[in-house]
Amino acid sequence: VEVLSPSTRATDQREKVAEYRKIDSLAAYLTVEQDQRVVERHYRDESAGGWGLGTFAAGTARTRLPVPCPEAVLT
């Protein structure tokens, strides 16, 4: 999980995502906005043979965030 800040946003959302996706055992990588209730979930999608991306935000239809490890749902 990375909390985004103006000084690290670009690194966290581009470079770190690319590096984390190379880790075979990694199931998900979350980036969290520090000033808003918004989370991006990058997750390994074995059925699609790659990685998926989902954005979850307060006040939208996608407010429940499944996390694979540990198995949980965040609201």
Side-chain angles (χ1 to χ4, degrees), residues 2-5 13 16 22 29 42 47 52 54 60 71 75:
E2 298 281 349
V3 177
L4 300 176
S5 69
Q13 291 184 313
K16 284 188 179 181
K22 295 176 184 176
Y29 170 66
H42 303 262
S47 65
T60 68
E71 193 72 34
T75 59

Side-chain angles (χ1 to χ4, degrees), residues 43-67:
Y43 61 97
R44 191 175 301 279
D45 187 352
E46 298 295 338
S47 65
W51 285 80
L53 172 65
T55 301
F56 300 82
T60 68
R62 298 185 78 181
T63 58
R64 299 181 60 77
L65 173 63
V67 180

